[in-house]
Amino acid sequence: MVQKQFDFSGKLGVNLDGMFCSPTSRYFDGKIHRGYFIEDDFSAAADLGFDFVRLPLSYRLLVKDNSYKLDDSLLKLLDQAIEWSAAYKLHVNVNFHRAPGYCINDDEPGDNMSWMALNSCGTERRAFCEMWREITRRYMDVPAEQLSFDLLNEPSHAKDVFPRESYCRLMRETVEAIHALDAKRLCVIDGWACGEMELDELSDIPNTMQSCRGYFPKEVTHYKCMEWSQNPPQWPMTVPGYMPGNDAGVVWNPDSLDAYFRNWKEFSEKYSIPVMCGEFGCISTTPAPVFYAWLNNFIDIMAKYEIGCALWTLEGVFGLFESGRSGVTQWKTYHAGNSAYDGKKYDAEMLRILQKIRL
């Protein structure tokens, strides 16, 4: 019997980043990035109306002694997260944000985007596939509607890091390894260039979907994060200076944002392959009026093209809770008994806009 898959179309998700990085990372704080999930992450996500959670993982939290072998006792952290997702009726999308030999971030030593390990046929590449085999075997009894895999976060297109052909070969090999054990498991493949570009050459793989990103323009979504994103953001905005992949003077407005995601919708329809947006958001250095204007347009576009999307993240500088953003229309206090989120402030206008995806 063919199992029913989770339909991401028009769904609202959120990234839970409790296992996003290990203690060696400069992002590790023991609070949000704590090295494990808590049940309250899932109960709050469900209570606030999210349909699914994406779990960006660092493999380092699932191994011991700097090895590439997944440890059974540490995998119980992921077991619990999947059980909590089911308990709160949330689909769970498991992702390797940091994999052996690769991570888009450089927040901790090794595995960063300057490495070529996953581009080779060496130890790291074999370990990556074997980790997914082990995870597949472990969760074979979890229904397809409850669990999906997002194989590798944001392949970089930076020169001499990860050639497109090598990434596609790795994705094809990994999906084949997973489906040899569990043909029902949906595998999400992040688009090329950090999720910015569709991969026509992988559109033929059964039971896969591709994932884009909602970080355009980065001068709005990542204000002050990069050297080239220091100019005060507006929406709409003419990009005044250099941004990788764009020329000076590029105009970003509702029409150009729509055109970008229309390309993904057309790709989906051409190849009959579903697409999702695995991450979107806007850092809190961007003032609320600009953020709300951009978010309104973004969510309207996601609803128009029925592209399910996952907010980065529930809490913190990109998040719904305790972002510290200036100019927020209304902070509301969350009330949930003994929850770790009880008493925390969330951006009520942001939540209202997010929920428009279902209208």
Side-chain angles (χ1 to χ4, degrees):
M1 182 178 70
V2 177
Q3 287 199 19
K4 182 180 179 182
Q5 296 284 358
F6 180 76
D7 183 4
F8 284 89
S9 302
K11 300 296 196 306
L12 181 64
V14 63
N15 283 267
L16 301 180
D17 51 347
M19 295 183 67
F20 162 77
C21 59
S22 71
T24 60
S25 168
R26 67 174 180 271
Y27 298 141
F28 191 87
D29 57 13
K31 298 176 182 177
I32 299 173
H33 304 134
R34 62 181 89 88
Y36 56 90
F37 300 107
I38 58 175
E39 183 175 359
D40 296 336
D41 296 333
F42 300 85
S43 62
D47 186 42
L48 292 167
F50 292 98
D51 303 301
F52 70 95
V53 292
R54 181 175 180 262
L55 306 183
L57 306 175
S58 169
Y59 81 93
R60 293 181 175 184
L61 294 169
L62 299 174
V63 302
K64 289 183 177 179
D65 303 321
N66 297 315
S67 74
Y68 288 152
K69 182 175 176 54
L70 296 176
D71 182 83
D72 181 74
S73 64
L74 295 175
L75 279 168
K76 288 180 169 55
L77 297 172
L78 186 55
D79 295 346
Q80 185 67 84
I82 292 172
E83 290 170 10
W84 282 329
S85 297
Y88 291 100
K89 297 181 173 54
L90 296 163
H91 177 83
V92 57
N93 179 240
V94 175
N95 164 253
F96 272 128
H97 190 278
R98 179 174 295 276
Y102 182 77
C103 184
I104 190 60
N105 294 344
D106 62 355
D107 54 300
E108 51 186 298
D111 302 322
N112 60 42
M113 62 181 293
S114 67
W115 278 35
M116 292 288 286
L118 277 178
N119 178 39
S120 71
C121 294
T123 302
E124 288 80 7
R125 193 180 185 101
R126 290 192 296 271
F128 178 77
C129 284
E130 183 52 40
M131 284 180 177
W132 276 117
R133 286 191 190 95
E134 177 61 27
I135 288 172
T136 301
R137 285 189 287 264
R138 192 176 187 94
Y139 302 117
M140 284 182 66
D141 292 336
V142 179
E145 195 171 14
Q146 172 60 29
L147 172 67
S148 58
F149 297 157
D150 183 345
L151 305 183
L152 182 65
N153 184 73
E154 297 182 3
S156 173
H157 61 304
K159 184 179 180 181
D160 297 330
V161 175
F162 214 154
R164 179 170 176 149
E165 297 79 8
S166 179
Y167 173 68
C168 289
R169 188 168 62 252
L170 176 64
M171 292 296 98
R172 193 174 288 275
E173 291 170 359
T174 307
V175 173
E176 288 175 355
I178 291 168
H179 285 169
L181 296 168
D182 187 358
K184 74 176 183 297
R185 192 64 62 200
L186 175 65
C187 294
V188 180
I189 298 173
D190 278 19
W192 180 240
C194 301
E196 294 183 11
M197 299 170 62
E198 315 94 304
L199 288 159
D200 296 65
E201 58 266 55
L202 295 182
S203 61
D204 63 311
I205 308 178
N207 208 10
T208 63
M209 67 187 302
Q210 293 191 24
S211 180
C212 60
R213 290 295 179 269
Y215 295 132
F216 297 98
K218 288 186 174 64
E219 284 80 359
V220 171
T221 64
H222 287 67
Y223 175 43
K224 291 188 176 180
C225 283
M226 315 291 183
E227 291 182 4
W228 40 263
S229 61
Q230 300 296 312
N231 293 290
Q234 306 170 44
W235 186 251
M237 183 177 187
T238 300
V239 175
Y242 173 77
M243 185 180 83
N246 282 345
D247 296 322
V250 170
V251 176
W252 280 97
N253 57 31
D255 290 338
S256 55
L257 194 63
D258 183 282
Y260 171 77
F261 290 105
R262 184 167 65 249
N263 288 336
W264 279 91
K265 181 65 174 178
E266 290 171 353
F267 165 81
S268 175
E269 292 175 340
K270 178 180 179 180
Y271 294 109
S272 298
I273 182 173
V275 299
M276 67 174 293
C277 181
E279 295 179 17
F280 74 92
C282 191
I283 196 167
S284 61
T285 47
T286 298
V290 176
F291 168 53
Y292 294 152
W294 173 88
L295 185 64
N296 260 302
N297 288 151
F298 174 82
I299 291 296
D300 286 347
I301 292 166
M302 294 296 99
K304 174 182 176 181
Y305 295 127
E306 297 183 304
I307 298 175
C309 53
L311 174 69
W312 186 274
T313 52
L314 188 61
E315 183 177 7
V317 294
F318 276 86
L320 189 62
F321 283 99
E322 305 289 351
S323 68
R325 190 184 308 276
S326 65
V328 167
T329 303
Q330 182 183 16
W331 289 109
K332 276 195 172 181
T333 302
Y334 186 69
H335 297 292
N338 294 322
S339 168
Y341 290 88
D342 185 59
K344 291 187 176 183
K345 306 289 186 181
Y346 68 92
D347 185 338
E349 177 63 7
M350 178 181 176
L351 182 61
R352 184 194 68 79
I353 297 170
L354 292 172
Q355 292 174 339
K356 287 172 55 185
I357 196 169
R358 301 189 189 88
L359 299 181

